[in-house]
Each structure stands twice: as C-alpha cells, then as structure tokens.
Amino acid sequence: MTTSETGTDRRQRLKALREAALHRPVAASQVSRGFNGRWTRRHWAHASLFATLGVLVAAIVPGFGPTSNVPAPAHAQRSSLALALPPLPLSRLKGHSGDSWQIVRVERGQTLGAVFEDMDLPASTMHQILEAVPGDKSVLTRLKPGTELAFDLPVSGELRTFRYDRDDSHRVELAIAGDKVTEKVTVRPTETRTVVISGKVGKSLFRSARKLGLSGNNINTLTDDIFKYDIDFNEDVGADDRFSVVVEQTWREGELLRTGPVLAATFTTGGKLHTGFRFERDGKAEYFTGDGRPLKKSFIRMPIPYARLTSNFGTRKHPVLGRTRMHKGVDYAARTGTPIMAAGDARVVSAGWQGGYGNAVVLDHGRGYSTLYGHMSRIGKIRPGQRIAQGTVIGYVGSTGMSTGPHLHYEFRVNGVHRNPLSITMPPPEPLSGNALAQFRAQTSVALARIQKVENIIYADASEPSPAARKPAKTAKTKA
C-alpha cells in the first residue's frame, strides 16, 4: 500500500476483494468444513432427490406415514332409528284368497304325501281333501311328473285352498274352512290342431326335431317304427337331409299340453324320399307306405340284436353227440340272461321243456311259417295259445338241453320244412286291400297334401332349391 492511497480507494478495494471471495467456487473439502449460506444449482438438485425418496419411503414402508404416531380414534357411538314400514294391503290383513298361491310341479317318483310334507302341511289335511273328492282320488294318488298343484297359504300357514287339474279341460279348487270343504270346478277349453312340422336334420336329428316341437316318442317312432327298415340312422343320414311330420297337438290357453302320435311322415335322405302313414288295421295302429304296404317287415333276421353267429345252417359235427348230423338252424352266442325276441307277430304254439332243445318256444306266424327258439335259461311271460307282437321278449339266453355253452338255437320253418333263416327270402307283409285300402287312401291323401304344401313353401323344389331354401337351418311348423 502506498502512502498516496486515500481512504476512499481503500474501501473500494476491500469491497472488491469481498465480492470476489463470495463468488469463488467452493471445494468439497471446504463444504465439509461448513456451509457458507449460499445455495447452488447442485444443492437444489440434491435436496429435491432426498425429498422425493423420503415421500416414497413414507408411503410404502408401514410406520413411516404421518398417521403412524396418531392414536387410534375412539369407537363412534351408534344409535338405532325406527322406520315406519308400509302397511299390509287390506286383502292381506283380511286373508282374502288369491294373495298367497304357491305352485308346485310334481317331480318323478314324488307322491301327494311327499308334496304335503314339503309344504309343511299335516297329513290330516291331505286325507280331508281326498275324502272330499272320492272320484278324483286316483288322479291325486297317481301323480304324473310335471303335474301342477297349487296351495293358497295365508300368513297363518293353514291351507285355505287347494287346486289341481282333474283333466285337460277341468280345474278343481277346494276351499277348506275347518271341517268343511267346498268344491269349485272351472272349465278350461282345449284346442286340438293338426300341424305339419318340417325341418332339416342338422347336427342331430333328435335335437332339431325336439327344437321344432316333436316329442321324444315322436322321434322314436320315426327311427324305430317307420323308417328303421329302410334308413340306417347311424350311417345314412346327413345334415341336409330333411323330414316332415304330421301330428296332432293339444293346446290350452296358449300352452302346449301334449303332442299326439305321428299320423304321417316323410324323410328324404340321399335324394330318395321315404314315406310312412299311420292307419289302424283290426284295431291295431300300423305304419304303411303310400300304396298301402306295411313298413314293418314280417320277420326280423336276428332274434337277438348284435349277437355273434357261432354255427351256420347245414351239416356239421354235433359238439355233444360227437357225430355228424344236420344242423337245422343257426346259433347265436350271447351271455346268459340276454333277452330273446319274437321274430314276427305270432301265436305261441308251445313254451316249455323240449328234449335236447331244453327250454324252448315255438311260434306260429301264419301262412305256413313258424320259428323255434331253444336252450333258454328261462321262458318269458308267455303261454301257449297267446298272440304276441313282433319284438316281444319270449325268453332269455341259456344253456339248457344238449348245449356246451350259453347261446340261442334259432330255427325257421316253412310248411314244416327247415330253411336257412340267413338266406331265405322273407315273405312280405300282407298289404291293405278292399275297404281298408280305400279308407287308407282317403285318409293319407289329406296328410300327404299337407306335407307337400309345407315342403313346397320351404324347399320349393327338392332337386333345385330356391334361394330361400338355400338358407341354413331352414325349418317350419304350420297349422294344417
């Protein structure tokens, strides 16, 4: 410092040195020795990072939150408030009928007593009802699955009114007041409609037919009674094959009660049309072709379905006697107890023990045809002179008589001469003739016209489908 420096100059120089010291960078070693009070950009970045980490730790780790040190609040006091309920209707208070009906549909195997027990009603009430309607006792004690029963049960729990259907057209209501039972019968008109149900087989004949309204019995009639001799429903039927069925349906108040038997049916498979018509001959319902020939064959080839042929017709060495002799029938091996069916409609000639045949049955089918069934373990519920239908179980497979194992020995005779049942041309069934044929033609012409009308609407032409018929899953049900 020179002597010529004034006081003013000295003060300005000191101020400059102080400003330079404040803006000089601070080394890490100097920070450790103390913070000089001025925040740099790095300080702010570090502070922000530590603040963010602190918030995350407080939110994630239990006990670090701001409420961890707050004492738990005391239980709040509760109070009850009475609310006014809406008043019961007047009919409920006075117990008027019709305000508390409970509908029950009878399940398979369920009895009237079981229904009353489920409804928590005493058996004495049930007996009181049965005594009041003795004419309907069989209706109530032989309940069919699906039968509808209705109970009018007021708040008191005592049965006030019981309701059931006497038949399709009459509904009965029994009002119970103490020991007195008052009966009221309501007539419910029914309507019977003859309809044509038509559709395609699709993925499943059963499913498609059920969806259109055919009953399970109707479908079984198609497959087991009408077309089973001409169509193999396991191999021959395709999704585009179609069927039409004429049935009678009984309706009541918009509800389908039941579907009657098949009156007529057509089935088209592989481009070939098959027809069947129901007609009663001698009081028995059968199915016939359009020209009056029965669809059911006179004889079935195998009295035991799916049995294994073990011995043919002809000369052979007898397995028991050990010598060569004529085998006058064919043998089918099957387990003991397998049912044996009558090959055709017949009259029972004999049923009992018959020498080497053991337990045997002989059937007379008329026109000189007869059959014999031998070696049965036991005979069915038949007796000599009885008339039986084709397919009736006449006995069960066994090994009685001269037999080395359980099987059926089956013989086919024509005018007393043994014939090979596997190769003989079976006689055709008797066709309709005379007045029966005239009645059949008059009856079937109406049904066939109804089917043709429906199929013309749906399919237009079987060989050249119209655009409407080409649409998938085309089905119809019309009132004929």
Side-chain angles (χ1 to χ4, degrees), residues 152-419:
D152 181 21
L153 293 168
V155 179
S156 62
E158 295 181 358
L159 181 61
R160 185 166 47 206
T161 311
F162 176 66
R163 188 177 72 202
Y164 64 95
D165 290 334
R166 175 174 292 165
D167 50 42
D168 290 340
S169 303
H170 299 87
R171 170 163 285 182
V172 180
E173 287 190 9
L174 302 176
I176 304 170
D179 295 334
K180 184 180 180 181
V181 178
T182 305
E183 180 185 59
K184 176 185 176 183
V185 180
T186 303
V187 178
R188 308 174 71 193
T190 61
E191 178 187 5
T192 300
R193 309 172 188 171
T194 302
V195 300
V196 180
I197 297 176
S198 184
K200 289 188 177 181
V201 172
K203 294 182 179 180
S204 166
L205 171 63
F206 187 87
R207 185 182 305 169
S208 299
R210 287 289 287 170
K211 187 176 181 180
L212 290 172
L214 289 178
S215 67
N217 288 335
N218 293 150
I219 301 170
N220 290 337
T221 299
L222 293 180
T223 58
D224 297 343
D225 294 337
I226 302 179
F227 300 122
K228 78 171 182 178
Y229 298 100
D230 301 310
I231 301 174
D232 185 343
F233 284 91
N234 292 324
E235 300 292 339
D236 299 340
V237 177
D240 291 332
D241 293 339
R242 60 186 191 271
F243 59 91
S244 292
V245 183
V246 179
V247 292
E248 287 186 346
Q249 293 181 335
T250 302
W251 293 77
R252 182 185 63 201
E253 299 173 359
E255 177 187 5
L256 177 61
L257 296 181
R258 64 178 177 272
T259 301
V262 175
L263 302 179
T266 65
F267 207 106
T268 304
T269 178
K272 184 177 181 180
L273 176 68
H274 302 272
T275 61
F277 301 89
R278 189 176 190 267
F279 184 74
E280 288 192 6
R281 178 168 61 174
D282 300 330
K284 180 183 177 182
E286 299 179 55
Y287 289 94
F288 299 82
T289 62
D291 58 358
R293 294 186 177 277
L295 286 168
K296 184 180 75 172
K297 306 304 181 185
S298 297
F299 293 91
I300 53 179
R301 290 282 182 185
M302 296 176 60
I304 306 175
Y306 313 115
R308 180 170 57 91
L309 180 68
T310 56
S311 183
N312 274 303
F313 181 89
T315 304
R316 67 164 189 176
K317 184 176 181 180
H318 196 280
V320 176
L321 299 177
R323 63 175 184 266
T324 301
R325 57 184 293 182
M326 181 67 179
H327 187 228
K328 299 179 179 180
V330 293
D331 293 344
Y332 293 105
R335 291 182 178 181
T336 299
T338 301
I340 302 170
M341 299 181 296
D345 297 342
R347 178 181 62 84
V348 179
V349 176
S350 62
W353 190 268
Q354 195 173 140
Y357 290 115
N359 289 324
V361 171
V362 177
L363 302 180
D364 180 10
H365 303 279
R367 296 185 291 170
Y369 295 94
S370 63
T371 53
L372 178 144
Y373 313 78
H375 305 309
M376 296 181 178
S377 59
R378 60 189 176 95
I379 295 173
K381 297 179 180 179
I382 58 174
R383 62 183 184 279
Q386 179 184 354
R387 300 208 59 91
I388 60 175
Q390 183 184 82
T392 300
V393 176
I394 58 174
Y396 302 87
V397 170
S399 187
T400 56
M402 287 196 298
S403 171
T404 57
H407 72 283
L408 167 67
H409 175 77
Y410 175 55
E411 294 182 3
F412 194 93
R413 304 169 183 173
V414 180
N415 296 322
V417 179
H418 291 84
R419 306 293 294 273

Side-chain angles (χ1 to χ4, degrees), residues 12-245:
Q12 291 178 351
R13 186 169 58 83
L14 292 175
K15 182 179 180 181
L17 291 173
R18 185 168 57 250
E19 290 291 332
L22 290 175
H23 289 85
R24 186 173 63 244
V26 181
S29 59
Q30 293 173 316
V31 174
S32 62
R33 291 193 294 266
F35 177 62
N36 61 3
R38 185 175 178 85
W39 284 65
T40 65
R41 183 175 298 176
R42 181 178 296 174
H43 294 151
W44 284 109
H46 290 171
S48 299
L49 178 61
F50 290 131
T52 303
L53 292 175
V55 172
L56 291 175
V57 171
I60 297 174
V61 181
F64 281 87
T67 58
S68 59
N69 296 327
V70 179
H75 292 288
Q77 294 184 353
R78 298 181 180 179
S79 59
S80 300
L81 177 63
L83 298 176
L85 296 175
L88 286 173
L90 186 62
S91 61
R92 188 77 169 180
L93 290 173
K94 293 185 177 181
H96 290 173
S97 62
D99 62 342
S100 52
W101 282 104
Q102 297 188 34
I103 310 298
V104 175
R105 289 195 178 275
V106 177
E107 299 177 357
R108 184 176 299 276
Q110 197 173 24
T111 63
L112 184 65
V115 174
F116 268 71
E117 184 177 353
D118 291 342
M119 299 298 294
D120 200 21
L121 294 172
S124 58
T125 303
M126 181 187 69
H127 293 304
Q128 183 182 7
I129 290 173
L130 294 176
E131 291 174 0
V133 284
D136 292 348
K137 192 171 183 179
S138 60
V139 175
L140 294 173
T141 55
R142 299 176 183 176
L143 297 173
K144 298 179 180 179
T147 300
E148 181 181 292
L149 303 176
F151 299 81
D152 181 21
L153 293 168
V155 179
S156 62
E158 295 181 358
L159 181 61
R160 185 166 47 206
T161 311
F162 176 66
R163 188 177 72 202
Y164 64 95
D165 290 334
R166 175 174 292 165
D167 50 42
D168 290 340
S169 303
H170 299 87
R171 170 163 285 182
V172 180
E173 287 190 9
L174 302 176
I176 304 170
D179 295 334
K180 184 180 180 181
V181 178
T182 305
E183 180 185 59
K184 176 185 176 183
V185 180
T186 303
V187 178
R188 308 174 71 193
T190 61
E191 178 187 5
T192 300
R193 309 172 188 171
T194 302
V195 300
V196 180
I197 297 176
S198 184
K200 289 188 177 181
V201 172
K203 294 182 179 180
S204 166
L205 171 63
F206 187 87
R207 185 182 305 169
S208 299
R210 287 289 287 170
K211 187 176 181 180
L212 290 172
L214 289 178
S215 67
N217 288 335
N218 293 150
I219 301 170
N220 290 337
T221 299
L222 293 180
T223 58
D224 297 343
D225 294 337
I226 302 179
F227 300 122
K228 78 171 182 178
Y229 298 100
D230 301 310
I231 301 174
D232 185 343
F233 284 91
N234 292 324
E235 300 292 339
D236 299 340
V237 177
D240 291 332
D241 293 339
R242 60 186 191 271
F243 59 91
S244 292
V245 183

